[in-house]
Every structure is written in C-alpha cells, then in structure tokens.
Amino acid sequence: MPIRSPNPAQASGRPAGSSSKSDWVHCLWPVVLWAVLISIFSTGIFTDQHTSTVIIPVLHWLFPKASHHTLLLMHHYIRKIGHFVEYFVFSLLILRAIRAGRKDTRLTWALAAVLIVAGYASLDEFHQSFVPGRTPAVTDVLLDTSGGAAAQIIAALVLLWGHVRHEQNRESKKV
C-alpha cells in the first residue's frame, strides 16, 4: 500500500501521483552521472595495484604497527566497502528518479531500483572482463546488489518513520 502525502502536482493541475517529463529528466541526470562514475571506477586506473599505491601508505600511516598482510587485508575490505557504498548511492538515486518528485512511494519502485542495480552491476563486471588488470566476480555483483537492496530498505524505513511521525503529529493536534 503506498504512503501518500499531499502532492504539488495537484496544484499544477496534474493528477495526483503524476509527474512531468521535466521532473523525470531533472531527477535522472544524477543517476547517469553516478553510473558514469561507477564505470570510471571499473577502468584500469582503479585496479587493486593502483589503489594500493594510495590506500596502503595511508593505512600504514594510520596503523604503523600493522603487518603488511593486515594492511593488504584492510585494503581489500576498503575496496569491497566501496562496492557496497557505490551501489547504495546508485540505488537511492534511481529511486529518486523513478519517484520524479512524487511524494508517494511504491514497493515496485524499490524493486525496480534493485533490479536496475543488479543489472548495472552485472554489466559492470562484464565490462571488467575486458579491462587489463581487472577480473569480474559474481561476488562483487552480489555485494553491489546488496548495497542497492540495503539502500531501499533504509529508504523504506525512513519514509515509514516519517509517515508515522506525521500521523502522530496529526493525532496530537486533534487532542
């Protein structure tokens, strides 16, 4: 069941829940920009060997007593967290574009966002199979998709919490 709030589209003469094409385009450009950024991260510039030249020295400075093996392990986990965060943000941007300024939300929109994330993550890993120094991994697709799903769950909880607070405020004003 959708959570509905007053819609500014009604004031503009558009039916509730609708959005103009310009709203959709306005909300879509961040998705495209983020997808380009993800694709750049999939190039040879961001291979494990290249990022280690920056991240390992920083980790060594932060943890001077850590063994080289520990630093490499930390570097690996930082890169994996990066996967999760990249697609977490991507998923939120996709949901924002799908909503296109509408205040209501639907489960199908969240599911569509997760499916788009999974598809793009798969294409990204496929692309990496052609990049020297990069290796595609199904586990990365699963991690990316998990980031996208986590974003949708958190977005749903935030929207639900806002709806509950709105109802509580409305009820307290009646008393």
Side-chain angles (χ1 to χ4, degrees), residues 71 83 131 152:
L71 295 175
H83 270 270
V131 178
Q152 295 307 311

Side-chain angles (χ1 to χ4, degrees), residues 42 87 116-129 141:
S42 293
Y87 284 88
I116 292 167
V117 163
Y120 198 79
S122 299
L123 287 173
D124 183 48
E125 292 300 315
F126 178 70
H127 163 255
Q128 287 182 24
S129 69
V141 174

Side-chain angles (χ1 to χ4, degrees), residues 41-96:
F41 289 154
S42 293
T43 64
I45 298 168
F46 289 93
T47 62
D48 192 10
Q49 295 81 13
H50 285 105
T51 59
S52 67
T53 62
V54 174
I55 296 174
I56 297 288
V58 171
L59 290 172
H60 182 66
W61 179 75
L62 290 170
F63 307 102
K65 295 185 189 245
S67 70
H68 185 67
H69 174 72
T70 301
L71 295 175
L72 289 174
L73 196 59
M74 291 168 72
H75 174 247
H76 172 77
Y77 286 122
I78 288 169
R79 288 178 56 85
K80 296 305 172 188
I81 290 167
H83 270 270
F84 187 88
V85 171
E86 277 181 87
Y87 284 88
F88 184 97
V89 172
F90 190 45
S91 184
L92 292 176
L93 292 173
I94 292 167
L95 180 64
R96 178 180 178 265

Side-chain angles (χ1 to χ4, degrees), residues 1 8 26 36 59 70 72 96 112 115 129 135 146 153-154 156 172:
M1 175 174 213
H26 175 74
V36 168
L59 290 172
T70 301
L72 289 174
R96 178 180 178 265
L115 285 174
S129 69
T135 53
S146 297
I153 291 167
I154 290 172
S172 68

